[in-house]
């Protein structure tokens, strides 16, 4: 019933913008730079790039192909090919809830910083003052929750308005703007005196730093950053016309996404070294460091305002894709009203997110074992749920749909997929085995951390 009446993207560019909009978000701008900092710099970047090429990009193609072939969103896509695989759609819904519960918390921080940028409160280079602003926010439960609520409300508003209007229009304006801005900031950052050490930290891998922990985090980050493993790309791909070249599409999204992450890395890390911040700072890194970069630029406040505004939009194009997956389950599968479903799901996610935010307040008791609720949602979503989803996606496309069928679908647009044997080999063997090894360890470490 869905197939005939579904709207398609008004253009391929529209799809790429929306898919890139889902991929490019806080994962690139906020999480990637600080993860580079806490996971040993260049070594982490190298492992990230390796996983991106061998695992992330082949899976991107698998996901988009599965979506376009079935013309169904994640639940229908698996179910229509093999009923026993319906549970993957369910997993995706749960994943949407868990990710958004903490993503909205960070989205709230960005909004709070936007407000402070407008009020001119961030205009200083002093690391102590900037660290103070961040920790004041972290220690004010009311601030955290109010801004998280505003972020969730914005996400819900966009999702209520439906796929095309909401997603395409916003992405078209904001994405290019964000790139230009990030490049300007990166240029300022690498030209600061003393930035060389940061550039080296980012680019020169110290291979002795590659541990299982680093590999685990890099893989989770690949899936998180590409929005792979919870059906976003399957669902978005289902809106594509049969004429669209899936190959170039599946390569451009990871390419754009990685470019954004690397530029964000160059915007942040060299400045960390040049201006005397702490590279292992963790989740606060971007919020503490970047205002100091703006303060070292002419028209700094304007850049600062524009930056937090655009990051807000980047975060929203990602958050709405998460919410969309969960909502479309209620709309498509359970035949519920779109508006009511969005409100209900959004409110539940917000409520789930409250302990995530409160767990950041100093002395909070929102912990299980050694993990705060914020960390639990973060790890549970990326290391466990997305990684499990990515594993299942590779098995499904390789062995249930079969790569042969997938290649047929890819070649429908009239192109020859010359690398088909390589891709098939990766999706059949390299991806599932590689992901399984990491996944096994992620489960183990997660359980141990909860018990400790
Ligand atoms: N890729 C998004 C980001 O980097 C996060 C995301 C994960 C979005 C999973 C949708 C699904 O911010």
């Amino acid at each position: 019933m869905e197939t005939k009446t579904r709207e398609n993207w008004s253009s391929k560019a529209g799809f790429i913008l929306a898919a890139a909009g889902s991929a490019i978000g806080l994962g690139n701008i906020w999480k990637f730079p600080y993860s580079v900092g806490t996971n040993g710099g260049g070594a982490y970047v190298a492992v990230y790039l390796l996983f991106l090429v061998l695992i992330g990009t082949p899976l991107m193609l698998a996901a988009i192909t599965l979506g376009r072939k079935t013309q169904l969103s994640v639940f229908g896509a698996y179910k229509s090919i093999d009923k026993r695989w319906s549970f993957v759609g369910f997993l995706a819904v749960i994943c949407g809830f868990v990710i958004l519960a903490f993503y909205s918390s960070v989205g709230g921080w960005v909004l709070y910083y936007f407000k402070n940028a407008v009020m001119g409160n961030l205009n200083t280079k002093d690391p102590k003052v900037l660290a103070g602003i961040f920790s004041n926010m972290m220690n004010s439960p009311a601030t955290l929750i109010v801004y998280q609520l505003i972020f969730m409300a914005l996400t819900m508003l966009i999702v209520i308005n439906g796929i095309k209007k909401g997603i395409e229009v916003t992405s078209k304006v904001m994405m290019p703007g964000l790139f230009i801005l990030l490049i300007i900031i990166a240029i300022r950052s690498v030209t600061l005196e003393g930035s060389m050490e940061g550039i080296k930290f980012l680019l020169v891998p110290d291979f002795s730093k590659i541990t299982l922990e680093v590999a685990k985090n890099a893989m989770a980050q690949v899936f998180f950053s590409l929005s792979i493993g919870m059906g976003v790309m399957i669902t978005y791909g289902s809106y594509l016309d049969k004429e669209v070249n899936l190959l170039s599409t599946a390569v451009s999204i990871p390419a754009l996404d990685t470019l954004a992450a690397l530029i964000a890395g160059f915007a942040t890390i060299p400045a960390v070294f040049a201006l005397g911040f702490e590279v292992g700072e963790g989740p606060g890194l971007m919020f503490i460091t970047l205002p100091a970069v703006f303060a070292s630029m002419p028209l700094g406040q304007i850049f600062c305002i524009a930056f937090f505004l655009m990051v807000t939009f980047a975060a929203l194009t990602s958050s709405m894709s998460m919410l969309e997956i969960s909502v479309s389950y209620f709309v498509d599968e359970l035949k519920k009203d779109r508006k009511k479903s969005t409100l209900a799901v959004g409110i539940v996610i917000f409520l789930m997110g409250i302990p995530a935010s409160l767990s950041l307040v100093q002395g909070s008791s929102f912990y299980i074992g050694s993990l705060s609720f914020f960390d639990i949602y973060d790890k549970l979503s990326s290391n466990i749920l997305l990684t499990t989803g990515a594993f299942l996606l590779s098995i499904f496309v390789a062995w249930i749909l079969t790569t042969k069928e997938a290649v047929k679908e890819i070649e429908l647009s009239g192109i020859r997929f010359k690398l088909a044997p390589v891709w098939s080999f990766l999706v059949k063997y390299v991806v599932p085995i590689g992901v399984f090894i990491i996944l096994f360890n992620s489960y183990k470490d997660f359980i141990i951390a909860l018990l400790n």
Side-chain angles (χ1 to χ4, degrees), residues 260-405:
L262 290 175
I263 303 174
F266 276 106
T268 315
I269 306 275
V272 166
F273 284 82
L275 300 174
F277 294 90
E278 186 49 60
V279 76
E281 174 71 42
L285 191 68
M286 163 188 122
F287 295 93
I288 300 177
T289 309
L290 289 188
V293 180
F294 297 124
S296 350
M297 288 161 82
L299 302 178
Q301 193 188 347
I302 294 179
F303 279 110
C304 188
I305 295 171
F307 175 76
F308 284 108
L309 180 69
M310 294 204 171
V311 176
T312 302
F313 276 95
L316 284 171
T317 50
S318 301
S319 63
M320 71 193 181
S321 71
M322 300 170 198
L323 186 57
E324 177 66 39
I325 295 295
S326 300
V327 168
S328 63
Y329 176 73
F330 293 90
V331 177
D332 292 349
E333 295 290 295
L334 307 180
K335 305 285 168 250
K336 300 267 191 257
D337 176 66
R338 181 172 192 94
K339 201 165 166 182
K340 283 194 198 129
S341 309
T342 309
L343 284 174
V345 172
I347 290 170
V348 170
I349 293 177
F350 169 66
L351 294 176
M352 278 171 62
I354 293 178
S357 280
L358 293 183
S359 72
L360 300 165
V361 178
Q362 221 170 28
S364 121
S365 50
F366 286 102
Y367 271 73
I368 300 181
S370 59
L371 293 179
S372 67
F373 266 72
F374 187 89
D375 288 338
I376 291 175
Y377 290 165
D378 178 1
K379 291 214 163 23
L380 180 62
S381 57
S382 311
N383 295 53
I384 306 284
L385 295 173
L386 288 180
T387 311
T388 306
F391 174 72
L392 295 171
L393 172 67
S394 70
I395 299 286
F396 189 79
V397 171
W399 304 101
I400 311 289
L401 173 69
T402 71
T403 46
K404 203 166 138 227
E405 279 301 309

Side-chain angles (χ1 to χ4, degrees), residues 5 14 32 36 56 66 107-108 128 133 193 195 199 258 275 280 298 314 319 334 390 405 409 447:
T5 51
F32 182 78
V36 172
L66 177 59
K128 273 209 203 75
I133 296 175
E193 207 182 303
S195 64
I199 299 174
T258 306
L275 300 174
S319 63
L334 307 180
E405 279 301 309
E409 176 71 26
I447 293 168

